[in-house]
Amino acid sequence: MSTGTISLTIAVMLLGIMSAGFPIALSLMFVAIAGILLWSNPAALSILPSTIIVMTTKDFFIALPMFIFMAGVLQISGMGAGLYDAFWKWFAGLRGGLAAATVGVSTLLVATTGSGSTATVMMGMIAYPEMKKRGYSKYLSVGSICAGGSLGPLIPPSITMILVAAFADLSIGKLFIAGVFPGLLTSGLFIFYILLQCYLHPQMGPAIPRNERVSWREKFVSLKGSILPIFLIVIVLGFIYAGISTPSEAGGIGAFGALCCAAYYRNLTIPNLKKAMSSSIRITAMIFWIIIGGATFSSLLAITGVSNFIKDLMVGSDLDRWIIFTIMMIIIFILGMFMDSTPIVIITMPIFMPIVRALGFDPLWFGLVVTMNLLLGFLTPPFGLAMFYFKGIGHADVSILDLYRGCLPFVVVMTVAMLACILFPGIATWLPNQMIR
């Protein structure tokens, strides 16, 4: 059987098994084992245990449980309410100010937790009732909440970035830093869009009446609710930027800082700590099972020659390298409509990165653009995770169609931000090149 036929058969097998409802990790392992038995010497199965051990014991992945635990603790810390109170008091006097504040709070939440689901759920519980009470457009309200939460993979520290770095053979620290300006750009464009829409259509997000606005003194006092989160962000990312600690060590510092935040807000109780530890263990185990599946699947691609076949096919074609780049981006976008970012990274990065390097693209820039592309999957139907996180909160007046309609404009804004990073690579690469040697 030709390598091309094997490649197509592997793709059909994998999609068929996952479509049948099998867990992604088990699907990857089943296809890998079946493929080796079908198209290689069965003795090749003996390399799988060593491949799994090498992959799962990489230094990259020491950071994973630390940042996941940090996110779990911050989720129960009660920090979101204090942040929203501060942003609400500063932005409430503007048209669309509450929706803009929601994006701002979400940006800080994902920068401290690395989790888009945390920001979506927190803001869905805190911000949506307030915007509904103030007469905000339902579509603008749900769109701003889901869009803010979708920033999770892009703004460091990000679990998705750790996986991209591991499977693309990039520096985690550099990829973290590369996400700073694109993340702020995307968040800023969300806020700009909200304020522009509400300036042109005041009924979408009316300003709070003057008699309900707080004094300047109260505004400044409210900032104390944002001091700890900002301090935690500066410590974690600052230590990485300055070379004081590795990302893994910074994850440990962040986890300790998260415990301090929970203690400050008086939410560091035994039940809350058990809840945070339980969720962290479940998420870590799930990700490592997918990593194990990805390691076995990558072995299959190497043993059968599929990786080299696809690379030679792309690089040896007469297509311009930007057309090949566009094809890869379209594949990731389509997969993002149906799958979570973790399996997408694990499946595509071992195939795409050799092509990217052979075509002369900057691997760090490509890893960042892939991360931005994965954001679109959080907001696009039919399986946009941010929308399902919001729907799971239980707001009866919001249908899934309302969520689709509310998120669509933010998908366009996010695409503009991604195109800006493609056309001007320095947005992503300048900072890491300046700060990490």
Side-chain angles (χ1 to χ4, degrees):
M1 188 180 290
S2 68
T3 308
T5 305
I6 292 174
S7 303
L8 184 60
T9 305
I10 289 173
V12 171
M13 285 174 62
L14 183 60
L15 291 174
I17 292 171
M18 288 194 297
S19 299
F22 281 85
I24 291 170
L26 296 181
S27 300
L28 290 168
M29 285 188 279
F30 175 82
V31 171
I33 294 170
I36 291 173
L37 291 175
L38 287 172
W39 300 305
S40 182
N41 189 328
L45 289 173
S46 63
I47 71 168
L48 293 185
S50 60
T51 302
I52 291 169
I53 292 171
V54 169
M55 176 59 74
T56 54
T57 55
K58 279 186 174 182
D59 290 344
F60 285 114
F61 296 127
I62 297 174
L64 265 178
M66 293 292 99
F67 284 118
I68 290 171
F69 180 65
M70 174 180 166
V73 173
L74 289 173
Q75 190 167 4
I76 55 92
S77 69
M79 179 182 68
L83 278 174
Y84 188 74
D85 179 67
F87 274 79
W88 182 91
K89 287 176 179 176
W90 280 89
F91 281 86
L94 299 173
R95 293 175 183 172
L98 296 184
T102 298
V103 173
V105 173
S106 296
T107 303
L108 283 178
L109 285 174
V110 299
T112 51
T113 66
S115 169
S117 61
T118 300
T120 303
V121 172
M122 279 190 183
M123 290 299 96
M125 296 173 64
I126 298 170
Y128 180 74
E130 184 67 24
M131 287 191 277
K132 180 181 177 182
K133 183 177 77 174
R134 300 291 180 178
Y136 271 58
S137 161
K138 181 195 298 183
Y139 308 118
L140 182 68
S141 301
V142 299
S144 62
I145 292 169
C146 293
S150 72
L151 294 170
L154 179 59
I155 296 180
S158 159
I159 307 303
T160 301
M161 281 186 173
I162 294 174
L163 294 172
V164 170
F167 283 89
D169 196 21
L170 301 172
S171 161
I172 296 178
K174 281 194 171 185
L175 191 57
F176 273 4
I177 298 171
V180 172
F181 283 166
L184 294 176
L185 171 66
T186 307
S187 176
L189 287 176
F190 285 162
I191 292 173
F192 174 77
Y193 164 76
I194 291 168
L195 297 179
L196 179 63
Q197 276 288 81
C198 293
Y199 176 78
L200 297 175
H201 309 285
Q203 72 280 4
M204 291 185 68
I208 301 301
R210 288 189 177 275
N211 62 334
E212 296 185 33
R213 299 176 195 175
V214 300
S215 66
W216 282 101
R217 182 181 179 280
E218 288 179 274
K219 287 181 180 180
F220 282 107
V221 169
S222 71
L223 291 177
K224 68 179 183 181
S226 60
I227 291 174
L228 271 181
I230 293 174
F231 180 72
L232 187 58
I233 296 167
V234 171
I235 289 294
V236 172
L237 297 183
F239 277 24
I240 297 174
Y241 295 166
I244 297 172
S245 66
T246 65
S248 301
E249 293 164 345
I253 295 168
F256 177 75
L259 290 170
C260 293
C261 286
Y264 175 81
Y265 289 108
R266 299 183 180 181
N267 285 317
L268 190 60
T269 61
I270 296 298
N272 280 343
L273 194 56
K274 284 183 177 178
K275 182 179 177 182
M277 292 179 69
S278 174
S279 66
S280 301
I281 291 169
R282 285 200 309 271
I283 294 170
T284 302
M286 177 194 71
I287 291 177
F288 268 93
W289 270 113
I290 297 176
I291 290 170
I292 290 170
T296 59
F297 188 73
S298 296
S299 296
L300 169 67
L301 298 182
I303 290 169
T304 56
V306 170
S307 295
N308 287 331
F309 170 77
I310 296 174
K311 184 189 80 172
D312 294 340
L313 182 67
M314 289 289 191
V315 176
S317 68
D318 294 328
L319 295 175
D320 182 83
R321 69 174 191 157
W322 287 104
I323 294 178
I324 297 173
F325 169 83
T326 303
I327 292 171
M328 290 189 287
M329 289 296 104
I330 290 173
I331 290 171
I332 290 173
F333 174 75
I334 292 173
L335 290 175
M337 296 173 67
F338 301 96
M339 296 169 64
D340 184 30
S341 59
T342 300
I344 295 174
V345 169
I346 291 173
I347 292 169
T348 61
M349 286 298 98
I351 298 173
F352 287 171
M353 287 311 295
I355 299 172
V356 168
R357 290 187 167 94
L359 293 174
F361 289 114
D362 184 339
L364 179 66
W365 166 81
F366 182 79
L368 190 280
V369 174
V370 167
T371 304
M372 295 189 76
N373 197 345
L374 293 171
L375 301 189
L376 297 173
F378 277 76
L379 293 179
T380 48
F383 299 114
L385 286 179
M387 293 181 280
F388 284 96
Y389 289 141
F390 184 94
K391 189 62 180 170
I393 299 170
H395 293 298
D397 61 317
V398 180
S399 68
I400 196 67
L401 292 177
D402 293 332
L403 288 163
Y404 288 163
R405 182 173 170 181
C407 290
L408 184 59
F410 291 93
V411 172
V412 176
V413 174
M414 194 179 289
T415 304
V416 171
M418 183 175 72
L419 289 174
C421 292
I422 292 172
L423 296 174
F424 305 101
I427 297 174
T429 59
W430 181 82
L431 192 59
N433 288 338
Q434 292 297 314
M435 304 191 76
I436 297 247
R437 300 298 180 187

